[in-house]
Amino acid sequence: WITSSDSRIWTDWRTNGSHNVSTRYDGIDYRFKGLIHTCPRPTVTIPEVRIPFGYKNYTVTVKGGSGFYEYVYDKSMLLVYENPQEKPEEKSGLTISEPFVTPLKEGTAVLTIIDKIFNDYQTNITIHTELPHSIDFSVNVTELFVGDRFVNYTINVYDKDNVKFNTSLENIEIVPDNYSILNSSRYGESVGFTHVHAEINNIKSE
């Protein structure tokens, strides 16, 4: 740490990211070199979400901090584990971490994210879990080549009050009537026609 007012640092280390820096103290004919990691406090992209019960692996995106976190939460409410992929760094110098969250029961839980390097760096996300009531599923493109993956569709999941959940398409099951035409991985298997529907926790789209 450099605390003396007599020192001078070369390079703009105050911006986010990793910086090679050098410093020299007045009156000492020697320059010290080092690597400085500058990072802001962590934040989550969506600080409050609603997830339907039965939904697995909701991705929480954390930006900032060191990228090394401890997760504190009610283990009776949530299952949380880290994404095994290496943490990337944006051009702006922000470290990104993307843990997966699966609700274990209905209710509200708070996931607190604490930086392991900077203990006073922390943030949290509030997660509301309710039973899904309906699924709105629409196919945007009805034709698919054999060997291509079926991805062009829109899904929204709602609760009993018709309020939409925070969900992503990848984690809702797409079920074809005929697996010989569209397989379980949503790839075109053979020529033909099949109906498909979306499903979560035994709730099916019409």
Side-chain angles (χ1 to χ4, degrees):
W1 297 94
I2 300 167
T3 58
S4 172
S5 59
D6 297 328
S7 64
R8 299 177 183 177
I9 300 178
W10 282 266
T11 202
D12 186 10
W13 57 272
R14 293 178 178 83
T15 58
N16 295 332
S18 301
H19 310 279
N20 289 302
V21 301
S22 61
T23 183
R24 180 176 63 82
Y25 284 84
D26 290 341
I28 300 178
D29 189 21
Y30 188 81
R31 180 171 292 186
F32 301 90
K33 296 182 178 181
L35 180 65
I36 290 180
H37 301 281
T38 306
C39 54
R41 290 181 177 274
T43 60
V44 291
T45 53
I46 307 177
E48 187 170 4
V49 297
R50 302 178 73 258
I51 304 176
F53 180 70
Y55 187 87
K56 298 179 180 179
N57 300 337
Y58 178 82
T59 301
V60 177
T61 301
V62 186
K63 294 184 178 182
S66 68
F68 300 95
Y69 302 112
E70 176 186 0
Y71 302 103
V72 179
Y73 56 96
D74 185 345
K75 293 179 173 57
S76 70
M77 295 289 296
L78 302 173
L79 175 64
V80 179
Y81 63 98
E82 290 188 82
N83 190 331
Q85 296 180 350
E86 183 178 355
K87 299 177 180 66
E89 189 172 86
E90 287 188 338
K91 292 181 180 179
S92 60
L94 292 177
T95 301
I96 300 175
S97 182
E98 294 185 323
F100 296 132
V101 175
T102 297
L104 298 178
K105 60 183 179 182
E106 293 179 81
T108 298
V110 176
L111 170 63
T112 301
I113 302 150
I114 303 172
D115 198 304
K116 292 181 179 180
I117 307 299
F118 309 104
N119 292 331
D120 61 333
Y121 271 25
Q122 60 180 271
T123 187
N124 58 64
I125 177 173
T126 301
I127 299 169
H128 305 284
T129 303
E130 295 184 35
L131 286 172
H133 183 264
S134 63
I135 302 177
D136 181 19
F137 174 59
S138 60
V139 177
N140 302 324
V141 177
T142 57
E143 295 182 352
L144 183 74
F145 289 107
V146 173
D148 284 353
R149 196 162 192 250
F150 174 52
V151 295
N152 207 327
Y153 53 86
T154 302
I155 296 178
N156 289 307
V157 184
Y158 299 88
D159 67 8
K160 57 182 174 48
D161 297 317
N162 206 36
V163 179
K164 188 168 69 172
F165 288 102
N166 299 90
T167 55
S168 60
L169 302 182
E170 291 79 6
N171 295 315
I172 298 175
E173 188 176 6
I174 303 300
V175 182
D177 289 350
N178 190 337
Y179 283 99
S180 67
I181 294 175
L182 186 71
N183 64 30
S184 59
S185 298
R186 305 201 307 272
Y187 283 94
E189 193 74 24
S190 63
V191 176
F193 177 83
T194 182
H195 289 281
V196 292
H197 68 267
E199 184 173 332
I200 181 174
N201 199 34
N202 297 321
I203 304 296
K204 299 180 181 181
S205 61
E206 296 181 356

